[in-house]
């Protein structure tokens, strides 16, 4: 039964489909095109003809381009006001109740080279240890925890290669994201803080010959042979999304960061079986979870976050990034549109990335990203396609990403 507002009108539903890192720079191999313009996306092409296309600047001036600042921005929280580091948001999703004096640090398990005799001379090969499974990573982290945990430093298991350290009475020290220095000697990028640096060094001795890594090496998989700290911060204080926008919201993501933002914003996290943040995630399951939340469970707003394009950008794989965008088009956007059309609910759908993860640099940048805004109650006619160049040509520009929610809700 479609909820009817007091004035007898059906209440508008809102859905965001965010392809993490899917924007890119023009690529020679694509004759100046991008993965978005080259991908075969019949649903987005159809939507583009009847939607508003434009550019939005999600990363505030002077802040580092990351999924943390960018998604906070897209969900309507000005990072300049609300951002206190990446890892505290993940701590929220792991259910760690941080004290005011706590500092949370992301603890990746990464792959470094083995030939060198000194730890500083090693090179970082992979920030994700080949996207190791959470099961294997948990065993390795347990080995590290046994040796290195103290009364002021506690380790917490997250997802795949993404884990957490809570440092009581710690410092919010400057640290280097591992995906920013892939292929480089690690010496220059280690923490200046002695305690953190020694923990990383010792982790190599604990992990490199661990049975799980011996097994991985036999299978030709990257060893998960060092921990890497980054993204330090203190407890975040997000206001409730419902109070801020008057909308009951759900979050559908496999990534702890997004789940943490949802916990902080008092939105409901929906866990979808098989959603893993990778290229072969359960796209359809995420789409249907959003449709059910909006059409059956009384939610007004659904945020569907798909990590795959970002991971493929970090891997530097053009074909896989294009594949992830084609999957997003056919296995998420198409399913959401067709089912919301069938439900006869009026709705507005926003499609956008949080930031670009260009194949050429294999990491994030702060360039504005293209958005597509479709309103099932009003049709605009447009010749444009959904890609970076056409979005620029449209002349539509939202300078502050945290205004995007008001724009979606029609408050601006
Ligand atoms: Zn991202």
């Amino acid at each position: 039964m479609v909820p009817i507002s007091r004035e007898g009108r059906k209440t508008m539903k809102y859905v965001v489909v965010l392809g993490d890192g899917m924007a890119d720079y023009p690529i020679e191999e694509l004759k100046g095109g991008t993965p978005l313009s080259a991908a075969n996306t019949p649903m987005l092409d159809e939507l583009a003809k009847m939607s508003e296309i434009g550019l939005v600047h999600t990363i505030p001036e002077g802040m580092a381009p990351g999924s943390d600042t960018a998604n906070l921005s897209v969900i309507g929280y000005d990072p300049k006001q609300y951002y206190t580091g990446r890892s505290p948001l993940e701590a929220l999703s792991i259910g760690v109740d941080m004290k005011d004096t706590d500092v949370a640090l992301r603890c990746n398990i990464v792959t470094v080279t083995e030939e060198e005799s000194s730890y500083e001379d090693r090179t970082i090969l992979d920030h994700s240890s080949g996207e190791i499974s959470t099961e294997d990573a948990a065993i390795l982290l347990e080995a590290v925890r046994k040796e290195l945990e103290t009364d002021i430093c506690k380790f917490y298991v997250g997802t795949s290669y993404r884990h957490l350290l809570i440092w009581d009475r710690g410092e919010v020290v400057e640290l280097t994201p591992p995906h920013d220095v892939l292929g480089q000697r690690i010496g220059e990028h280690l923490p200046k803080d002695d305690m953190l640096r020694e923990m990383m060094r010792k982790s190599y001795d604990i992990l490199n010959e661990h049975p799980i890594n011996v097994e991985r090496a036999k299978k030709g998989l990257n060893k998960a042979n060092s921990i890497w700290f980054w993204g330090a911060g203190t407890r975040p204080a997000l206001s409730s999304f419902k109070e801020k926008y008057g909308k009951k919201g759900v979050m559908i993501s496999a990534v702890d960061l997004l789940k943490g933002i949802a916990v902080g914003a008092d939105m409901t996290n929906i866990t979808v079986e098989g959603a893993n943040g990778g290229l072969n995630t359960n796209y359809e399951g995420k789409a249907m979870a959003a449709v059910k939340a909006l059409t059956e469970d009384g939610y007004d707003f659904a945020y569907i976050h798909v990590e795959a394009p970002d991971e493929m950008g970090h891997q530097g794989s053009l074909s896989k990034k294009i594949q992830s965008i084609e999957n997003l088009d056919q296995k998420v956007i198409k399913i959401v549109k067709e089912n919301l059309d069938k439900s006869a609910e009026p709705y507005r759908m926003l499609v956008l990335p949080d930031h670009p993860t260009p194949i050429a640099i294999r990491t994030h940048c702060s360039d504005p990203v293209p958005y597509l805004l479709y309103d099932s109650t009003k049709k605009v006619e447009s010749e444009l396609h959904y890609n970076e160049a056409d979005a620029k040509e449209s002349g539509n520009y939202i300078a502050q990403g945290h205004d995007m929610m008001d724009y979606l809700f029609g408050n601006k």
Side-chain angles (χ1 to χ4, degrees):
M1 213 287 298
V2 177
I4 302 289
S5 68
R6 265 190 310 289
E7 303 78 31
R9 265 199 331 275
K10 291 177 184 155
T11 51
M12 183 72 87
K13 298 291 179 179
Y14 303 90
V15 58
V16 171
V17 179
L18 189 127
D20 201 304
M22 76 178 165
D24 215 304
Y25 294 148
I27 295 173
E28 205 174 317
E29 202 182 326
L30 300 174
K31 302 188 179 54
T34 65
L36 258 178
S37 67
N40 173 25
T41 56
M43 187 72 254
L44 278 168
D45 296 345
E46 187 191 325
L47 275 171
K49 292 194 189 88
M50 48 188 179
S51 300
E52 176 188 312
I53 305 263
L55 284 176
V56 55
H57 200 176
T58 56
I59 312 287
E61 239 25 86
M63 294 190 87
S67 298
D68 42 9
T69 46
N71 281 282
L72 267 180
S73 181
V74 172
I75 300 176
Y77 296 87
D78 180 358
K80 293 243 169 181
Q81 190 187 340
Y82 291 98
Y83 183 66
T84 63
R86 178 193 188 112
S87 189
L89 293 167
E90 294 170 339
L92 279 178
S93 92
I94 297 176
V96 176
D97 188 14
M98 290 176 68
K99 302 194 295 295
D100 287 349
T101 55
D102 281 342
V103 169
L105 293 91
R106 162 70 85 82
C107 175
N108 276 38
I109 299 190
V110 303
T111 310
V112 297
T113 51
E114 303 171 59
E115 301 72 45
E116 303 78 5
S117 55
S118 98
Y119 183 71
E120 280 75 7
D121 291 337
R122 300 188 193 289
T123 295
I124 178 167
L125 299 173
D126 182 350
H127 67 286
S128 74
S129 299
E131 292 188 45
I132 186 171
S133 72
T134 302
E135 295 67 42
D136 283 357
I139 296 167
L140 294 172
L141 198 76
E142 182 54 22
V144 168
R145 196 187 65 72
K146 267 212 200 96
E147 305 260 341
L148 301 182
E149 192 159 272
T150 64
D151 54 0
I152 61 163
C153 283
K154 303 266 181 248
F155 288 92
Y156 294 85
V157 175
T159 311
S160 178
Y161 60 88
R162 310 172 182 94
H163 305 285
L164 176 72
L165 180 83
I166 296 289
W167 179 12
D168 187 8
R169 292 184 302 282
E171 270 175 71
V172 179
V173 287
E174 198 60 41
L175 297 165
T176 304
H179 51 254
D180 282 356
V181 292
L182 293 172
Q184 297 181 31
R185 179 183 176 277
I186 63 175
E188 294 76 78
H189 305 295
L190 295 176
K192 303 280 175 294
D193 177 87
D194 295 344
M195 179 191 75
L196 297 178
R197 195 175 56 252
E198 282 317 299
M199 289 169 95
M200 287 175 64
R201 179 202 311 283
K202 287 184 183 142
S203 76
Y204 178 83
D205 303 330
I206 297 164
L207 294 172
N208 194 46
E209 294 311 323
H210 188 286
I212 284 190
N213 278 324
V214 173
E215 214 36 52
R216 289 179 68 80
K218 273 196 208 127
K219 291 186 199 138
L221 299 171
N222 282 347
K223 281 186 172 182
N225 58 3
S226 180
I227 60 176
W228 188 291
F229 297 123
W230 61 290
T234 52
R235 192 173 62 173
L238 301 183
S239 53
S240 139
F241 189 85
K242 181 94 172 49
E243 276 160 32
K244 202 172 161 58
Y245 294 108
K247 307 275 187 292
K248 245 179 89 184
V250 293
M251 170 64 71
I252 297 159
S253 173
V255 172
D256 283 333
L257 168 69
L258 276 294
K259 290 178 183 171
I261 291 175
V263 171
D266 200 16
M267 291 165 68
T268 304
N269 271 307
I270 296 181
T271 300
V272 173
E273 194 64 35
N276 58 18
L279 183 58
N280 303 316
T281 189
N282 181 1
Y283 297 93
E284 297 88 345
K286 296 176 98 168
M288 288 315 294
V291 169
K292 181 173 178 302
L294 295 171
T295 60
E296 292 172 30
D297 304 338
Y299 289 93
D300 312 296
F301 172 72
Y303 194 91
I304 306 171
H305 169 268
V306 175
E307 174 72 2
D310 179 59
E311 282 302 328
M312 300 312 118
H314 286 304
Q315 288 180 18
S317 169
L318 177 57
S319 59
K320 286 183 181 170
K321 187 167 181 177
I322 289 174
Q323 183 59 58
S324 70
I325 293 169
E326 293 178 348
N327 292 344
L328 193 77
D329 182 76
Q330 288 300 297
K331 299 179 179 179
V332 179
I333 299 168
K334 184 167 183 276
I335 292 177
V336 170
K337 181 170 188 317
E338 288 178 349
N339 283 280
L340 289 183
D341 286 346
K342 241 188 287 167
S343 79
E345 296 258 23
Y347 67 96
R348 285 162 69 87
M349 173 159 37
L350 175 66
V351 177
L352 78 173
D354 50 348
H355 53 71
T357 304
I359 295 284
I361 59 173
R362 295 184 59 182
T363 190
H364 311 149
C365 66
S366 301
D367 296 49
V369 293
Y371 71 83
L372 176 151
L373 181 54
Y374 171 71
D375 186 321
S376 70
T377 66
K378 19 190 192 341
K379 301 277 181 292
V380 296
E381 281 186 24
S382 165
E383 301 296 312
L384 300 174
H385 287 82
Y386 177 60
N387 60 53
E388 297 85 348
D390 285 26
K392 188 149 193 241
E393 193 195 314
S394 76
N396 297 320
Y397 181 66
I398 297 173
Q400 304 204 100
H402 61 266
D403 291 335
M404 197 78 232
M405 276 302 103
D406 279 321
Y407 205 68
L408 173 66
F409 297 143
N411 307 340
K412 274 210 171 133

